[in-house]
Amino acid sequence: MAAALLAPYAADEQHSRGRRHAESPPRFRGEYQRDRDRIVHSTAFRRLVYKTQVFVNHEGDLYRTRMTHSLEVAQIARTVAVALDLNEPLTEAICLAHDLGHTPFGHAGQDELNVCMRDFGGFEHNLQSLRVVDELEAKYADFPGLNLMFETREGILKHCSVKNARELGDVGERFLQRMQPGLEGQLANIADAIAYNNHDVDDGFRAGLLSIEQLREQPLFGQQYEKVRARYPALEDRRLIYEIMRRMIDTVVTDLIENTRKNLLAAGPQSIEDVRRAARELVVLSAEVYEQHVSLKRFLNKHLYSHEKKLVMTQQAKTIVRELFATYIGDIQRMPSEFSMRAGLMDATGRARVVADYIAGMTDRYAIAEHERITGC
Ligand code: MG
């Protein structure tokens, strides 16, 4: 991407901290385009299509999966990136990679795998996303992982404990020094939250777990409901929800662009280093819209993610992950040879990590089938 099109505070490949393993520059693409393309070609990315966002993949064809979620995050973030003259290919790369480390069965799977790994350093999906792109993808002859640019990796690693940060080297430094990620990383993070807040309203309604009456109490939804109802009194519920959702996304995205512009003007960063040294993140919603956004998030937590129908699925998912983990830890030969050979060379902690890598990489349906094969139920 030509540097002239970018704002001075955007990430710019000319001033990048580069790749872990030196490579010759691409001939026809920018460096961050190359990152995005590598992510799209990765095995972990393809598997996102069969991984749970909120509803288990086989519960219905119309629900979001991690793949469609990641695409929605990317398209929201790209609009904002272009509006603010940030680096669009980098923004897209971070968004498409942000959930690569997710286990099967969404947060239920991640929580249970974390419990299984308690004595071996725990499991955290965000850290696992970085592990996927840094180490686990095995596609290139010259290096492990995808060998992505520093700024892409920095954006993928949203949070990190001090202990893990010490072990991560370059990309962990900012957590020790309390610095910010680049603006593209900040943007991917908030775009993630905007995307799921909105698409989970749609999926929750479709599943019959949320009602329009309940949703109207939420200011983000309620305000748009009144406007749409007034203008289209006869609109059927399905289209009503879609029309409200597109207006909700527009409201939040517009606020994000305007508020971030204000922040950039006030802070006046002249480079990505200024952005990193800023006291706080600059790509943020205004206080008023943030409050509404958080209120909707709390509402979804209470009425969708913790719905009793969801909790049944959660328990089943946890049982599957727990029993798979116990089986492979008990007999590493029950994993495919690429994993069992790696595990065979390691101590107990290393073996557990290989088992976690194997389980985390599974799609929902693969985990279910593998569990049935092993336990017969
Ligand atoms: Mg996400």
Side-chain angles (χ1 to χ4, degrees), residues 11 32 35-36 39 45 70 73-74 77-78 87-100 126 129 133 148-158 181-192 272:
Y32 299 112
D35 279 8
R36 180 200 58 203
I39 291 159
F45 186 73
S70 300
V73 174
R78 286 172 60 200
N87 195 311
E88 187 193 357
L90 169 61
T91 304
E92 188 178 13
I94 297 169
C95 293
L96 295 179
H98 86 282
D99 272 352
L100 289 181
N126 184 232
S129 295
V133 300
L148 302 179
M149 298 284 274
F150 175 84
E151 294 72 22
T152 313
R153 298 170 56 237
E154 174 192 46
I156 291 171
L157 190 65
K158 285 188 286 198
L183 295 170
E184 291 80 1
Q186 297 181 25
L187 171 53
N189 196 9
I190 180 75
D192 181 24
I272 190 170

mmCIF file of all heavy atoms in Angstrom, residues 11 32 35-36 39 45 70 73-74 77-78 87-100 126 129 133 148-158 181-192 272:
data_model
loop_
_atom_site.group_PDB
_atom_site.id
_atom_site.type_symbol
_atom_site.label_atom_id
_atom_site.label_comp_id
_atom_site.label_asym_id
_atom_site.label_seq_id
_atom_site.Cartn_x
_atom_site.Cartn_y
_atom_site.Cartn_z
ATOM 1 N N ALA A 11 -0.244 2.306 10.661
ATOM 2 C CA ALA A 11 0.878 1.382 10.472
ATOM 3 C C ALA A 11 1.302 1.455 9.006
ATOM 4 O O ALA A 11 0.457 1.532 8.113
ATOM 5 C CB ALA A 11 0.457 -0.038 10.829
ATOM 6 N N TYR A 32 1.246 -6.363 4.219
ATOM 7 C CA TYR A 32 0.068 -6.725 5.033
ATOM 8 C C TYR A 32 -0.973 -7.464 4.197
ATOM 9 O O TYR A 32 -1.725 -8.275 4.728
ATOM 10 C CB TYR A 32 -0.539 -5.487 5.689
ATOM 11 C CG TYR A 32 0.422 -4.786 6.612
ATOM 12 C CD1 TYR A 32 0.928 -3.525 6.310
ATOM 13 C CD2 TYR A 32 0.858 -5.401 7.783
ATOM 14 C CE1 TYR A 32 1.831 -2.883 7.151
ATOM 15 C CE2 TYR A 32 1.764 -4.778 8.631
ATOM 16 C CZ TYR A 32 2.246 -3.509 8.307
ATOM 17 O OH TYR A 32 3.151 -2.889 9.140
ATOM 18 N N ASP A 35 0.124 -10.893 4.455
ATOM 19 C CA ASP A 35 -0.335 -11.484 5.724
ATOM 20 C C ASP A 35 -1.788 -11.941 5.623
ATOM 21 O O ASP A 35 -2.136 -13.050 6.015
ATOM 22 C CB ASP A 35 -0.235 -10.450 6.855
ATOM 23 C CG ASP A 35 1.181 -10.340 7.409
ATOM 24 O OD1 ASP A 35 2.095 -10.939 6.817
ATOM 25 O OD2 ASP A 35 1.363 -9.652 8.430
ATOM 26 N N ARG A 36 -2.623 -11.052 5.115
ATOM 27 C CA ARG A 36 -4.043 -11.394 4.991
ATOM 28 C C ARG A 36 -4.217 -12.641 4.132
ATOM 29 O O ARG A 36 -4.975 -13.550 4.470
ATOM 30 C CB ARG A 36 -4.813 -10.222 4.372
ATOM 31 C CG ARG A 36 -6.306 -10.501 4.209
ATOM 32 C CD ARG A 36 -6.921 -9.577 3.197
ATOM 33 N NE ARG A 36 -6.252 -9.720 1.908
ATOM 34 C CZ ARG A 36 -6.241 -8.791 0.950
ATOM 35 N NH1 ARG A 36 -6.870 -7.650 1.142
ATOM 36 N NH2 ARG A 36 -5.614 -8.997 -0.185
ATOM 37 N N ILE A 39 -3.300 -15.765 5.958
ATOM 38 C CA ILE A 39 -4.341 -16.119 6.937
ATOM 39 C C ILE A 39 -5.502 -16.823 6.230
ATOM 40 O O ILE A 39 -5.991 -17.862 6.672
ATOM 41 C CB ILE A 39 -4.812 -14.856 7.694
ATOM 42 C CG1 ILE A 39 -3.687 -14.362 8.613
ATOM 43 C CG2 ILE A 39 -6.086 -15.116 8.495
ATOM 44 C CD1 ILE A 39 -3.792 -12.904 9.021
ATOM 45 N N PHE A 45 -8.014 -21.078 9.485
ATOM 46 C CA PHE A 45 -9.057 -20.196 8.968
ATOM 47 C C PHE A 45 -10.186 -21.016 8.341
ATOM 48 O O PHE A 45 -11.361 -20.755 8.577
ATOM 49 C CB PHE A 45 -8.471 -19.207 7.944
ATOM 50 C CG PHE A 45 -9.465 -18.179 7.474
ATOM 51 C CD1 PHE A 45 -9.860 -17.141 8.292
ATOM 52 C CD2 PHE A 45 -10.017 -18.259 6.199
ATOM 53 C CE1 PHE A 45 -10.790 -16.196 7.869
ATOM 54 C CE2 PHE A 45 -10.939 -17.315 5.762
ATOM 55 C CZ PHE A 45 -11.330 -16.282 6.601
ATOM 56 N N SER A 70 -16.010 -13.585 11.756
ATOM 57 C CA SER A 70 -14.731 -12.943 11.415
ATOM 58 C C SER A 70 -14.867 -12.060 10.179
ATOM 59 O O SER A 70 -14.276 -10.980 10.108
ATOM 60 C CB SER A 70 -13.646 -13.999 11.189
ATOM 61 O OG SER A 70 -13.471 -14.763 12.369
ATOM 62 N N VAL A 73 -16.667 -8.875 11.259
ATOM 63 C CA VAL A 73 -15.727 -8.015 11.992
ATOM 64 C C VAL A 73 -14.849 -7.267 10.985
ATOM 65 O O VAL A 73 -14.659 -6.046 11.072
ATOM 66 C CB VAL A 73 -14.832 -8.847 12.946
ATOM 67 C CG1 VAL A 73 -13.756 -7.968 13.590
ATOM 68 C CG2 VAL A 73 -15.663 -9.531 14.019
ATOM 69 N N ALA A 74 -14.332 -8.005 10.003
ATOM 70 C CA ALA A 74 -13.416 -7.407 9.021
ATOM 71 C C ALA A 74 -14.121 -6.321 8.207
ATOM 72 O O ALA A 74 -13.556 -5.256 7.962
ATOM 73 C CB ALA A 74 -12.852 -8.485 8.098
ATOM 74 N N ALA A 77 -14.617 -3.201 10.343
ATOM 75 C CA ALA A 77 -13.342 -2.530 10.626
ATOM 76 C C ALA A 77 -12.764 -1.868 9.375
ATOM 77 O O ALA A 77 -12.152 -0.801 9.453
ATOM 78 C CB ALA A 77 -12.342 -3.539 11.199
ATOM 79 N N ARG A 78 -12.955 -2.480 8.217
ATOM 80 C CA ARG A 78 -12.393 -1.902 6.984
ATOM 81 C C ARG A 78 -13.047 -0.566 6.669
ATOM 82 O O ARG A 78 -12.390 0.371 6.213
ATOM 83 C CB ARG A 78 -12.571 -2.882 5.816
ATOM 84 C CG ARG A 78 -11.604 -4.066 5.917
ATOM 85 C CD ARG A 78 -11.929 -5.106 4.886
ATOM 86 N NE ARG A 78 -11.833 -4.580 3.535
ATOM 87 C CZ ARG A 78 -12.405 -5.121 2.475
ATOM 88 N NH1 ARG A 78 -13.120 -6.226 2.607
ATOM 89 N NH2 ARG A 78 -12.265 -4.594 1.291
ATOM 90 N N ASN A 87 -4.419 1.672 7.921
ATOM 91 C CA ASN A 87 -3.952 0.638 6.996
ATOM 92 C C ASN A 87 -5.029 -0.447 6.850
ATOM 93 O O ASN A 87 -5.208 -1.275 7.756
ATOM 94 C CB ASN A 87 -2.640 0.057 7.530
ATOM 95 C CG ASN A 87 -1.907 -0.733 6.473
ATOM 96 O OD1 ASN A 87 -2.513 -1.582 5.825
ATOM 97 N ND2 ASN A 87 -0.642 -0.448 6.286
ATOM 98 N N GLU A 88 -5.707 -0.431 5.727
ATOM 99 C CA GLU A 88 -6.846 -1.337 5.545
ATOM 100 C C GLU A 88 -6.442 -2.817 5.450
ATOM 101 O O GLU A 88 -7.049 -3.661 6.113
ATOM 102 C CB GLU A 88 -7.658 -0.914 4.317
ATOM 103 C CG GLU A 88 -8.942 -1.702 4.181
ATOM 104 C CD GLU A 88 -9.604 -1.525 2.819
ATOM 105 O OE1 GLU A 88 -9.102 -0.742 1.996
ATOM 106 O OE2 GLU A 88 -10.620 -2.185 2.591
ATOM 107 N N PRO A 89 -5.414 -3.171 4.636
ATOM 108 C CA PRO A 89 -5.054 -4.601 4.586
ATOM 109 C C PRO A 89 -4.597 -5.147 5.950
ATOM 110 O O PRO A 89 -4.923 -6.273 6.300
ATOM 111 C CB PRO A 89 -3.889 -4.636 3.576
ATOM 112 C CG PRO A 89 -4.027 -3.397 2.769
ATOM 113 C CD PRO A 89 -4.646 -2.367 3.664
ATOM 114 N N LEU A 90 -3.895 -4.328 6.714
ATOM 115 C CA LEU A 90 -3.480 -4.776 8.052
ATOM 116 C C LEU A 90 -4.699 -4.974 8.943
ATOM 117 O O LEU A 90 -4.814 -5.981 9.654
ATOM 118 C CB LEU A 90 -2.527 -3.748 8.685
ATOM 119 C CG LEU A 90 -2.225 -3.961 10.173
ATOM 120 C CD1 LEU A 90 -1.557 -5.309 10.422
ATOM 121 C CD2 LEU A 90 -1.349 -2.830 10.715
ATOM 122 N N THR A 91 -5.622 -4.026 8.894
ATOM 123 C CA THR A 91 -6.853 -4.129 9.690
ATOM 124 C C THR A 91 -7.591 -5.424 9.346
ATOM 125 O O THR A 91 -8.022 -6.171 10.228
ATOM 126 C CB THR A 91 -7.785 -2.923 9.393
ATOM 127 O OG1 THR A 91 -7.064 -1.719 9.657
ATOM 128 C CG2 THR A 91 -9.040 -2.981 10.221
ATOM 129 N N GLU A 92 -7.705 -5.686 8.058
ATOM 130 C CA GLU A 92 -8.420 -6.883 7.615
ATOM 131 C C GLU A 92 -7.697 -8.152 8.079
ATOM 132 O O GLU A 92 -8.328 -9.097 8.552
ATOM 133 C CB GLU A 92 -8.552 -6.868 6.084
ATOM 134 C CG GLU A 92 -9.441 -7.985 5.572
ATOM 135 C CD GLU A 92 -9.620 -7.956 4.061
ATOM 136 O OE1 GLU A 92 -8.869 -7.233 3.375
ATOM 137 O OE2 GLU A 92 -10.511 -8.672 3.580
ATOM 138 N N ALA A 93 -6.380 -8.136 7.963
ATOM 139 C CA ALA A 93 -5.599 -9.317 8.382
ATOM 140 C C ALA A 93 -5.823 -9.620 9.862
ATOM 141 O O ALA A 93 -6.072 -10.768 10.248
ATOM 142 C CB ALA A 93 -4.110 -9.082 8.103
ATOM 143 N N ILE A 94 -5.769 -8.599 10.697
ATOM 144 C CA ILE A 94 -5.956 -8.812 12.142
ATOM 145 C C ILE A 94 -7.355 -9.362 12.416
ATOM 146 O O ILE A 94 -7.530 -10.315 13.176
ATOM 147 C CB ILE A 94 -5.738 -7.495 12.938
ATOM 148 C CG1 ILE A 94 -4.305 -6.990 12.778
ATOM 149 C CG2 ILE A 94 -6.051 -7.707 14.423
ATOM 150 C CD1 ILE A 94 -4.083 -5.569 13.304
ATOM 151 N N CYS A 95 -8.355 -8.760 11.773
ATOM 152 C CA CYS A 95 -9.743 -9.204 11.996
ATOM 153 C C CYS A 95 -9.941 -10.664 11.585
ATOM 154 O O CYS A 95 -10.571 -11.447 12.290
ATOM 155 C CB CYS A 95 -10.717 -8.329 11.219
ATOM 156 S SG CYS A 95 -10.810 -6.644 11.813
ATOM 157 N N LEU A 96 -9.401 -11.032 10.435
ATOM 158 C CA LEU A 96 -9.612 -12.405 9.952
ATOM 159 C C LEU A 96 -8.886 -13.423 10.833
ATOM 160 O O LEU A 96 -9.277 -14.580 10.908
ATOM 161 C CB LEU A 96 -9.160 -12.529 8.496
ATOM 162 C CG LEU A 96 -9.982 -11.709 7.492
ATOM 163 C CD1 LEU A 96 -9.446 -11.888 6.077
ATOM 164 C CD2 LEU A 96 -11.471 -12.087 7.537
ATOM 165 N N ALA A 97 -7.831 -12.977 11.503
ATOM 166 C CA ALA A 97 -7.044 -13.907 12.332
ATOM 167 C C ALA A 97 -7.459 -13.897 13.798
ATOM 168 O O ALA A 97 -7.024 -14.763 14.557
ATOM 169 C CB ALA A 97 -5.554 -13.545 12.231
ATOM 170 N N HIS A 98 -8.291 -12.941 14.214
ATOM 171 C CA HIS A 98 -8.445 -12.717 15.658
ATOM 172 C C HIS A 98 -9.029 -13.916 16.397
ATOM 173 O O HIS A 98 -8.772 -14.088 17.579
ATOM 174 C CB HIS A 98 -9.246 -11.431 15.929
ATOM 175 C CG HIS A 98 -10.734 -11.628 15.932
ATOM 176 N ND1 HIS A 98 -11.474 -11.754 14.776
ATOM 177 C CD2 HIS A 98 -11.625 -11.733 16.945
ATOM 178 C CE1 HIS A 98 -12.747 -11.913 15.092
ATOM 179 N NE2 HIS A 98 -12.863 -11.909 16.399
ATOM 180 N N ASP A 99 -9.795 -14.759 15.726
ATOM 181 C CA ASP A 99 -10.415 -15.897 16.409
ATOM 182 C C ASP A 99 -9.819 -17.248 15.999
ATOM 183 O O ASP A 99 -10.420 -18.285 16.276
ATOM 184 C CB ASP A 99 -11.931 -15.897 16.151
ATOM 185 C CG ASP A 99 -12.691 -15.063 17.173
ATOM 186 O OD1 ASP A 99 -12.064 -14.621 18.168
ATOM 187 O OD2 ASP A 99 -13.903 -14.848 16.985
ATOM 188 N N LEU A 100 -8.672 -17.251 15.348
ATOM 189 C CA LEU A 100 -8.100 -18.517 14.854
ATOM 190 C C LEU A 100 -7.828 -19.509 15.989
ATOM 191 O O LEU A 100 -7.809 -20.717 15.777
ATOM 192 C CB LEU A 100 -6.788 -18.270 14.098
ATOM 193 C CG LEU A 100 -6.897 -17.592 12.723
ATOM 194 C CD1 LEU A 100 -5.518 -17.437 12.102
ATOM 195 C CD2 LEU A 100 -7.812 -18.380 11.785
ATOM 196 N N ASN A 126 -7.156 -16.295 22.922
ATOM 197 C CA ASN A 126 -6.476 -15.180 22.251
ATOM 198 C C ASN A 126 -4.977 -15.473 22.091
ATOM 199 O O ASN A 126 -4.384 -15.248 21.028
ATOM 200 C CB ASN A 126 -6.717 -13.892 23.049
ATOM 201 C CG ASN A 126 -6.121 -12.679 22.379
ATOM 202 O OD1 ASN A 126 -5.384 -11.930 22.993
ATOM 203 N ND2 ASN A 126 -6.395 -12.498 21.106
ATOM 204 N N SER A 129 -4.555 -17.891 19.347
ATOM 205 C CA SER A 129 -4.589 -17.321 17.988
ATOM 206 C C SER A 129 -3.178 -16.949 17.558
ATOM 207 O O SER A 129 -2.768 -17.207 16.414
ATOM 208 C CB SER A 129 -5.492 -16.078 17.938
ATOM 209 O OG SER A 129 -6.834 -16.401 18.194
ATOM 210 N N VAL A 133 -0.688 -18.679 14.422
ATOM 211 C CA VAL A 133 0.012 -17.994 13.319
ATOM 212 C C VAL A 133 1.528 -18.005 13.494
ATOM 213 O O VAL A 133 2.272 -17.939 12.520
ATOM 214 C CB VAL A 133 -0.474 -16.527 13.106
ATOM 215 C CG1 VAL A 133 -1.953 -16.501 12.776
ATOM 216 C CG2 VAL A 133 -0.167 -15.637 14.302
ATOM 217 N N LEU A 148 4.107 -13.807 10.171
ATOM 218 C CA LEU A 148 3.402 -12.549 9.885
ATOM 219 C C LEU A 148 4.207 -11.340 10.348
ATOM 220 O O LEU A 148 5.137 -11.463 11.151
ATOM 221 C CB LEU A 148 2.033 -12.553 10.579
ATOM 222 C CG LEU A 148 1.088 -13.692 10.204
ATOM 223 C CD1 LEU A 148 -0.232 -13.576 10.980
ATOM 224 C CD2 LEU A 148 0.810 -13.737 8.699
ATOM 225 N N MET A 149 3.804 -10.182 9.855
ATOM 226 C CA MET A 149 4.434 -8.915 10.249
ATOM 227 C C MET A 149 4.170 -8.644 11.740
ATOM 228 O O MET A 149 3.134 -9.034 12.280
ATOM 229 C CB MET A 149 3.842 -7.767 9.426
ATOM 230 C CG MET A 149 4.088 -7.883 7.937
ATOM 231 S SD MET A 149 5.780 -7.441 7.490
ATOM 232 C CE MET A 149 5.583 -5.649 7.312
ATOM 233 N N PHE A 150 5.085 -7.920 12.366
ATOM 234 C CA PHE A 150 4.957 -7.615 13.794
ATOM 235 C C PHE A 150 3.602 -6.982 14.112
ATOM 236 O O PHE A 150 2.930 -7.359 15.074
ATOM 237 C CB PHE A 150 6.084 -6.662 14.243
ATOM 238 C CG PHE A 150 5.934 -6.228 15.667
ATOM 239 C CD1 PHE A 150 6.407 -7.012 16.705
ATOM 240 C CD2 PHE A 150 5.285 -5.036 15.978
ATOM 241 C CE1 PHE A 150 6.243 -6.627 18.031
ATOM 242 C CE2 PHE A 150 5.110 -4.643 17.305
ATOM 243 C CZ PHE A 150 5.595 -5.439 18.326
ATOM 244 N N GLU A 151 3.181 -6.009 13.295
ATOM 245 C CA GLU A 151 1.955 -5.257 13.593
ATOM 246 C C GLU A 151 0.713 -6.149 13.519
ATOM 247 O O GLU A 151 -0.264 -5.912 14.232
ATOM 248 C CB GLU A 151 1.811 -4.062 12.636
ATOM 249 C CG GLU A 151 2.887 -2.991 12.806
ATOM 250 C CD GLU A 151 4.263 -3.414 12.299
ATOM 251 O OE1 GLU A 151 4.336 -4.332 11.448
ATOM 252 O OE2 GLU A 151 5.271 -2.843 12.764
ATOM 253 N N THR A 152 0.747 -7.152 12.673
ATOM 254 C CA THR A 152 -0.372 -8.099 12.589
ATOM 255 C C THR A 152 -0.424 -8.927 13.876
ATOM 256 O O THR A 152 -1.486 -9.100 14.487
ATOM 257 C CB THR A 152 -0.215 -9.023 11.368
ATOM 258 O OG1 THR A 152 0.113 -8.224 10.223
ATOM 259 C CG2 THR A 152 -1.470 -9.811 11.102
ATOM 260 N N ARG A 153 0.745 -9.394 14.294
ATOM 261 C CA ARG A 153 0.821 -10.211 15.523
ATOM 262 C C ARG A 153 0.452 -9.373 16.746
ATOM 263 O O ARG A 153 -0.230 -9.834 17.655
ATOM 264 C CB ARG A 153 2.225 -10.795 15.661
ATOM 265 C CG ARG A 153 2.576 -11.719 14.484
ATOM 266 C CD ARG A 153 4.052 -12.112 14.489
ATOM 267 N NE ARG A 153 4.448 -12.726 15.733
ATOM 268 C CZ ARG A 153 5.441 -12.281 16.515
ATOM 269 N NH1 ARG A 153 6.142 -11.212 16.168
ATOM 270 N NH2 ARG A 153 5.729 -12.904 17.631
ATOM 271 N N GLU A 154 0.910 -8.141 16.753
ATOM 272 C CA GLU A 154 0.595 -7.219 17.854
ATOM 273 C C GLU A 154 -0.920 -7.019 17.966
ATOM 274 O O GLU A 154 -1.476 -6.980 19.062
ATOM 275 C CB GLU A 154 1.274 -5.864 17.561
ATOM 276 C CG GLU A 154 0.944 -4.740 18.511
ATOM 277 C CD GLU A 154 1.430 -3.378 17.984
ATOM 278 O OE1 GLU A 154 1.224 -3.059 16.798
ATOM 279 O OE2 GLU A 154 2.035 -2.634 18.770
ATOM 280 N N GLY A 155 -1.574 -6.908 16.822
ATOM 281 C CA GLY A 155 -3.028 -6.707 16.814
ATOM 282 C C GLY A 155 -3.783 -7.961 17.232
ATOM 283 O O GLY A 155 -4.831 -7.879 17.870
ATOM 284 N N ILE A 156 -3.254 -9.126 16.875
ATOM 285 C CA ILE A 156 -3.928 -10.385 17.232
ATOM 286 C C ILE A 156 -3.912 -10.586 18.743
ATOM 287 O O ILE A 156 -4.898 -11.014 19.338
ATOM 288 C CB ILE A 156 -3.254 -11.585 16.508
ATOM 289 C CG1 ILE A 156 -3.533 -11.515 15.004
ATOM 290 C CG2 ILE A 156 -3.743 -12.908 17.091
ATOM 291 C CD1 ILE A 156 -2.746 -12.527 14.171
ATOM 292 N N LEU A 157 -2.788 -10.257 19.384
ATOM 293 C CA LEU A 157 -2.660 -10.467 20.831
ATOM 294 C C LEU A 157 -3.319 -9.298 21.573
ATOM 295 O O LEU A 157 -2.690 -8.296 21.857
ATOM 296 C CB LEU A 157 -1.179 -10.585 21.228
ATOM 297 C CG LEU A 157 -0.937 -11.050 22.664
ATOM 298 C CD1 LEU A 157 -1.435 -12.480 22.884
ATOM 299 C CD2 LEU A 157 0.534 -10.932 23.019
ATOM 300 N N LYS A 158 -4.598 -9.480 21.905
ATOM 301 C CA LYS A 158 -5.369 -8.387 22.505
ATOM 302 C C LYS A 158 -5.053 -8.211 23.979
ATOM 303 O O LYS A 158 -5.003 -7.120 24.492
ATOM 304 C CB LYS A 158 -6.873 -8.690 22.389
ATOM 305 C CG LYS A 158 -7.407 -8.494 20.993
ATOM 306 C CD LYS A 158 -8.905 -8.612 20.977
ATOM 307 C CE LYS A 158 -9.355 -10.055 21.117
ATOM 308 N NZ LYS A 158 -10.743 -10.262 20.681
ATOM 309 N N PRO A 181 -1.506 -0.962 21.529
ATOM 310 C CA PRO A 181 -1.215 -1.513 20.200
ATOM 311 C C PRO A 181 -1.429 -0.421 19.143
ATOM 312 O O PRO A 181 -1.970 0.647 19.461
ATOM 313 C CB PRO A 181 -2.261 -2.616 20.049
ATOM 314 C CG PRO A 181 -3.414 -2.168 20.888
ATOM 315 C CD PRO A 181 -2.823 -1.357 22.025
ATOM 316 N N GLY A 182 -1.049 -0.676 17.915
ATOM 317 C CA GLY A 182 -1.315 0.254 16.818
ATOM 318 C C GLY A 182 -2.822 0.466 16.661
ATOM 319 O O GLY A 182 -3.637 -0.299 17.188
ATOM 320 N N LEU A 183 -3.191 1.500 15.933
ATOM 321 C CA LEU A 183 -4.613 1.837 15.779
ATOM 322 C C LEU A 183 -5.390 0.724 15.075
ATOM 323 O O LEU A 183 -6.559 0.489 15.372
ATOM 324 C CB LEU A 183 -4.751 3.152 15.003
ATOM 325 C CG LEU A 183 -4.178 4.385 15.721
ATOM 326 C CD1 LEU A 183 -4.143 5.583 14.772
ATOM 327 C CD2 LEU A 183 -4.985 4.721 16.968
ATOM 328 N N GLU A 184 -4.730 0.026 14.140
ATOM 329 C CA GLU A 184 -5.425 -1.050 13.416
ATOM 330 C C GLU A 184 -5.798 -2.185 14.383
ATOM 331 O O GLU A 184 -6.861 -2.799 14.241
ATOM 332 C CB GLU A 184 -4.553 -1.567 12.271
ATOM 333 C CG GLU A 184 -4.366 -0.573 11.122
ATOM 334 C CD GLU A 184 -3.315 0.508 11.388
ATOM 335 O OE1 GLU A 184 -2.704 0.495 12.475
ATOM 336 O OE2 GLU A 184 -3.100 1.361 10.505
ATOM 337 N N GLY A 185 -4.929 -2.458 15.342
ATOM 338 C CA GLY A 185 -5.222 -3.479 16.358
ATOM 339 C C GLY A 185 -6.347 -3.023 17.281
ATOM 340 O O GLY A 185 -7.247 -3.791 17.633
ATOM 341 N N GLN A 186 -6.312 -1.762 17.667
ATOM 342 C CA GLN A 186 -7.379 -1.205 18.509
ATOM 343 C C GLN A 186 -8.720 -1.293 17.782
ATOM 344 O O GLN A 186 -9.750 -1.632 18.358
ATOM 345 C CB GLN A 186 -7.082 0.267 18.835
ATOM 346 C CG GLN A 186 -5.820 0.472 19.643
ATOM 347 C CD GLN A 186 -5.567 1.949 19.961
ATOM 348 O OE1 GLN A 186 -6.485 2.759 20.004
ATOM 349 N NE2 GLN A 186 -4.311 2.288 20.188
ATOM 350 N N LEU A 187 -8.674 -1.000 16.496
ATOM 351 C CA LEU A 187 -9.892 -1.017 15.683
ATOM 352 C C LEU A 187 -10.463 -2.433 15.556
ATOM 353 O O LEU A 187 -11.675 -2.645 15.695
ATOM 354 C CB LEU A 187 -9.570 -0.421 14.296
ATOM 355 C CG LEU A 187 -10.627 -0.530 13.213
ATOM 356 C CD1 LEU A 187 -11.971 0.019 13.679
ATOM 357 C CD2 LEU A 187 -10.162 0.198 11.953
ATOM 358 N N ALA A 188 -9.600 -3.399 15.302
ATOM 359 C CA ALA A 188 -10.075 -4.788 15.170
ATOM 360 C C ALA A 188 -10.772 -5.231 16.456
ATOM 361 O O ALA A 188 -11.798 -5.920 16.420
ATOM 362 C CB ALA A 188 -8.900 -5.716 14.855
ATOM 363 N N ASN A 189 -10.237 -4.809 17.572
ATOM 364 C CA ASN A 189 -10.782 -5.206 18.865
ATOM 365 C C ASN A 189 -12.205 -4.666 19.077
ATOM 366 O O ASN A 189 -13.116 -5.413 19.443
ATOM 367 C CB ASN A 189 -9.828 -4.662 19.950
ATOM 368 C CG ASN A 189 -10.060 -5.324 21.277
ATOM 369 O OD1 ASN A 189 -10.805 -6.295 21.366
ATOM 370 N ND2 ASN A 189 -9.442 -4.799 22.303
ATOM 371 N N ILE A 190 -12.410 -3.397 18.808
ATOM 372 C CA ILE A 190 -13.750 -2.822 19.014
ATOM 373 C C ILE A 190 -14.714 -3.305 17.914
ATOM 374 O O ILE A 190 -15.891 -3.531 18.170
ATOM 375 C CB ILE A 190 -13.704 -1.273 19.125
ATOM 376 C CG1 ILE A 190 -15.106 -0.678 19.332
ATOM 377 C CG2 ILE A 190 -13.057 -0.592 17.945
ATOM 378 C CD1 ILE A 190 -15.674 -0.846 20.686
ATOM 379 N N ALA A 191 -14.191 -3.534 16.698
ATOM 380 C CA ALA A 191 -15.056 -4.049 15.620
ATOM 381 C C ALA A 191 -15.576 -5.444 15.970
ATOM 382 O O ALA A 191 -16.707 -5.803 15.632
ATOM 383 C CB ALA A 191 -14.290 -4.080 14.296
ATOM 384 N N ASP A 192 -14.766 -6.221 16.662
ATOM 385 C CA ASP A 192 -15.186 -7.548 17.126
ATOM 386 C C ASP A 192 -16.421 -7.408 18.026
ATOM 387 O O ASP A 192 -17.440 -8.073 17.822
ATOM 388 C CB ASP A 192 -14.002 -8.177 17.898
ATOM 389 C CG ASP A 192 -14.277 -9.570 18.411
ATOM 390 O OD1 ASP A 192 -15.150 -10.255 17.848
ATOM 391 O OD2 ASP A 192 -13.596 -9.981 19.373
ATOM 392 N N ILE A 272 3.127 5.795 14.485
ATOM 393 C CA ILE A 272 2.601 4.639 15.235
ATOM 394 C C ILE A 272 3.271 4.557 16.611
ATOM 395 O O ILE A 272 2.656 4.108 17.581
ATOM 396 C CB ILE A 272 2.755 3.328 14.422
ATOM 397 C CG1 ILE A 272 1.989 2.183 15.086
ATOM 398 C CG2 ILE A 272 4.216 2.958 14.232
ATOM 399 C CD1 ILE A 272 1.876 0.927 14.246
#
